[in-house]
Amino acid sequence: MIAIGERINGMFTVVKDAIAAHDPRPIQELARQQAAAGAAYLDINIGTAAADQEGTMKWLVETVQAAVATPLCLDSQKPAVIKAGLSVCDTSRGVLLNSSPLNRKSDPDVLTKYASMAMEAGGGLIALTMDSGGVPQNVDRRVEIAAEILTKAMELGMMPEKLFIDPIILPVNVPGAQAQPGNILAAIDQIRLMSDPPPHITMGLSNLSQGTAERPLINRTFMIMAISHGCDSAILDVLDDVLVDAVATAEMLMNKQIYSDSFVKAYRSTSGAQR
Ligand code: THG
């Protein structure tokens, strides 16, 4: 499981406040905690409040990589913000760019831009099953967009093992959205068969439970369901020990980790990058 720690995101009040105050300490503390919990990558997202977005991304990248050796996952919908992050990023550790849709009305070549930057950095790319029409609400269109992304990436010279397809999970409590988690599982079943080796499958797990009363329970349960369908990565709360132990168990039951009486301990003692 390629676990991407979600906590360094301006969506969280502590991070937003630390960015505003230019205080590295709370951010470096979150970086250390997530690295210790076994994150393979740390997501870096400036949120929506920052005035100078490129400068804020640079500061966050420098702040985090001064504290931990974990590779980063630069998270922005703007190519210029990703580019700014990359300009100060130690990509020799590895890097993920997060994320590009297939295309966008205002930027038809957005996927080419992200894929080119990822390849130049020797890193991976997260691509969303989304196009200029928005987020598809059915299985078939998700799968079609994933196939178009995979084809485009391979045409550009990116290998499937560097590509992470994100079927986009949205809050389950939104009216009409309750069929989507099931649709996403059905889409994952098909995306896994598109190439050998297949692209990775990732998702922003915590989106699912936003605004609900049982957040951890919903996140943990869906993570395990998705792993059983072949999902092998997520942007998630690695500080949720019950979630991480459940992931270890799901991977053992899927025959991806060897069973021993101490399999949870073994999983936790393996660095995130090697799981
Ligand atoms: N796909 C990809 N990248 C992503 C997402 C995705 N990056 C961002 C996001 N979605 C994944 N990360 C988060 C981080 C936090 C939350 C949800 C997703 C979250 N935060 C609390 C909230 O909004 O309720 C913050 C509350 C607090 O301050 O404590 O839920 O889908 N590729």
Short mmCIF file of all heavy atoms in Angstrom, two decimals, residues 55 94 108 147 172-173 201 250 260:
data_model
loop_
_atom_site.label_atom_id
_atom_site.label_comp_id
_atom_site.label_asym_id
_atom_site.label_seq_id
_atom_site.Cartn_x
_atom_site.Cartn_y
_atom_site.Cartn_z
N GLY A 55 4.72 31.03 -3.81
CA GLY A 55 5.64 31.24 -2.69
C GLY A 55 5.29 30.33 -1.52
O GLY A 55 6.16 29.78 -0.85
N GLY A 94 12.39 10.88 -4.82
CA GLY A 94 11.14 10.50 -5.47
C GLY A 94 10.15 11.62 -5.26
O GLY A 94 10.32 12.46 -4.34
N PRO A 108 -6.75 22.60 -22.29
CA PRO A 108 -6.90 21.27 -22.91
C PRO A 108 -5.66 20.39 -22.74
O PRO A 108 -5.76 19.17 -22.74
CB PRO A 108 -7.15 21.59 -24.39
CG PRO A 108 -7.54 23.03 -24.45
CD PRO A 108 -6.92 23.70 -23.27
N ALA A 147 -8.89 5.01 -19.33
CA ALA A 147 -8.22 4.43 -20.50
C ALA A 147 -7.58 5.53 -21.34
O ALA A 147 -6.45 5.38 -21.83
CB ALA A 147 -9.21 3.63 -21.34
N VAL A 172 -20.23 11.09 0.74
CA VAL A 172 -21.33 10.13 0.56
C VAL A 172 -22.67 10.71 1.01
O VAL A 172 -23.73 10.20 0.64
CB VAL A 172 -21.00 8.82 1.32
CG1 VAL A 172 -21.06 9.01 2.83
CG2 VAL A 172 -21.92 7.69 0.88
N ASN A 173 -22.62 11.80 1.80
CA ASN A 173 -23.87 12.34 2.35
C ASN A 173 -24.55 13.35 1.43
O ASN A 173 -25.62 13.85 1.73
CB ASN A 173 -23.61 12.99 3.72
CG ASN A 173 -22.70 14.21 3.61
OD1 ASN A 173 -22.06 14.41 2.58
ND2 ASN A 173 -22.64 15.00 4.65
N ILE A 201 -3.82 2.61 -8.31
CA ILE A 201 -5.11 3.25 -8.06
C ILE A 201 -5.01 3.96 -6.71
O ILE A 201 -4.64 3.33 -5.71
CB ILE A 201 -6.25 2.21 -7.95
CG1 ILE A 201 -6.28 1.26 -9.14
CG2 ILE A 201 -7.59 2.92 -7.73
CD1 ILE A 201 -6.87 1.81 -10.39
N ALA A 250 -6.00 -6.05 5.70
CA ALA A 250 -6.58 -6.25 4.37
C ALA A 250 -5.50 -6.72 3.39
O ALA A 250 -5.73 -7.62 2.58
CB ALA A 250 -7.23 -4.96 3.87
N SER A 260 1.96 -13.82 9.64
CA SER A 260 2.62 -14.38 10.82
C SER A 260 1.81 -13.85 11.98
O SER A 260 0.99 -12.93 11.78
CB SER A 260 4.07 -13.91 10.93
OG SER A 260 4.10 -12.55 11.34
#
